[in-house]
Amino acid sequence: MYIKKNNGKKVLVRNIYCVGRNYSKHAKELGNTKPTEPFFFQKSLPSLNTSSQIVLPSNRKIDYEIEIVLLICRDGKSESQKDAKSFIGGYSLGIDLTDRKYQNKLKDLKLPWLLSKSFAGAAVVLPFSDKPIEEDFWLSVNNEKKQTGNHNQMIFSFAQLIHFLSNKVPLMKGDLVFTGTPHGVGSLDVGDEIVIGVGNTTLNKFVVSSEE
């Protein structure tokens, strides 16, 4: 599957990695402790969603989580946090859609989260830009702003995340890294309109529908 850069170039996606609990207030709102080192989970490639449609799977309650997403442009592992920055080939916003009830069940059983994070369309990603996202990013539902965050609020920086992850699992060109969500996550209903943006700029709107 492919994602696009703002220059129109397509990039083949290899893996989708996500860091958990990288904003203190989000960890607190879900009843989790602040992590002392990054921890990651994955989304499946079929979950990649580059459209403006969010389709909710039948009989499942789905939460939204807006995040900055990094595009990896090099293979291998970083030698240092300074070197880790050279692995970033693009920046974007994405929505990590989550079956929270199922995730909590898996957590209680001490099982991996993959199946609660990997239904079709669960990894929403906008086109990537070479320009870092410095202003606050945000998500609104039905004209009500629900989440606002900034990379400066992250527990672990982009460089820390890439250095840690690449030294556990060698990265590949085309990998995506979801870097964590700020507090304010909530559930979606059919007919909701989601808008995401940066600063005063709206980047995309999504209509929420259900499986037929």
Side-chain angles (χ1 to χ4, degrees):
M1 302 184 73
Y2 291 85
I3 51 89
K4 288 184 178 180
K5 299 192 72 173
N6 285 346
N7 60 11
K9 183 179 179 181
K10 290 184 177 181
V11 179
L12 178 66
V13 176
R14 309 302 293 271
N15 297 284
I16 303 174
Y17 297 104
C18 307
V19 64
R21 306 169 194 168
N22 200 26
Y23 287 75
S24 296
K25 289 184 178 180
H26 172 61
K28 184 177 180 180
E29 75 178 339
L30 295 185
N32 299 308
T33 57
K34 181 178 176 179
T36 57
E37 67 177 22
F39 77 92
F40 289 84
F41 58 91
Q42 283 189 268
K43 284 179 170 283
S44 66
L45 283 178
S47 71
L48 184 63
N49 181 357
T50 59
S51 75
S52 292
Q53 294 289 322
I54 291 176
V55 180
L56 303 182
S58 301
N59 302 315
R60 297 167 76 177
K61 200 68 173 176
I62 304 302
D63 278 11
Y64 55 80
E65 300 182 9
I66 189 171
E67 313 196 13
I68 294 176
V69 185
L70 306 178
L71 173 62
I72 300 301
C73 63
R74 288 179 53 194
D75 294 345
K77 64 180 182 179
S78 74
E79 300 299 326
S80 64
Q81 289 186 30
K82 182 178 180 180
D83 177 55
K85 296 178 182 179
S86 68
F87 280 74
I88 303 175
Y91 303 82
S92 184
L93 288 183
I95 306 174
D96 170 14
L97 296 174
T98 303
D99 184 336
R100 189 73 66 202
K101 182 177 179 180
Y102 192 26
Q103 183 194 31
N104 289 336
K105 178 181 178 180
L106 294 171
K107 287 165 62 177
D108 289 342
L109 295 171
K110 301 186 185 303
L111 295 174
W113 299 353
L114 179 68
L115 297 183
S116 67
K117 294 280 191 175
S118 292
F119 52 90
V124 181
V125 182
L126 300 188
F128 283 82
S129 170
D130 294 331
K131 184 179 178 181
I133 298 173
E134 300 290 353
E135 295 183 272
D136 289 352
F137 59 94
W138 50 266
L139 176 148
S140 69
V141 180
N142 301 328
N143 296 315
E144 182 180 353
K145 193 166 287 187
K146 297 291 188 179
Q147 289 187 277
T148 301
N150 190 287
H151 72 92
N152 291 322
Q153 300 167 342
M154 298 194 311
I155 299 169
F156 305 106
S157 68
F158 298 152
Q160 288 174 306
L161 294 177
I162 291 173
H163 182 61
F164 182 90
L165 178 60
S166 68
N167 280 269
K168 299 293 185 182
V169 181
L171 294 175
M172 301 176 71
K173 182 179 179 179
D175 285 350
L176 304 182
V177 180
F178 281 67
T179 60
T181 193
H183 74 286
V185 301
S187 60
L188 294 172
D189 292 306
V190 174
D192 284 345
E193 182 182 70
I194 299 175
V195 179
I196 63 177
V198 176
N200 294 320
T201 303
T202 294
L203 297 181
N204 208 349
K205 297 180 180 181
F206 302 87
V207 177
V208 179
S209 60
S210 63
E211 291 180 333
E212 296 181 357

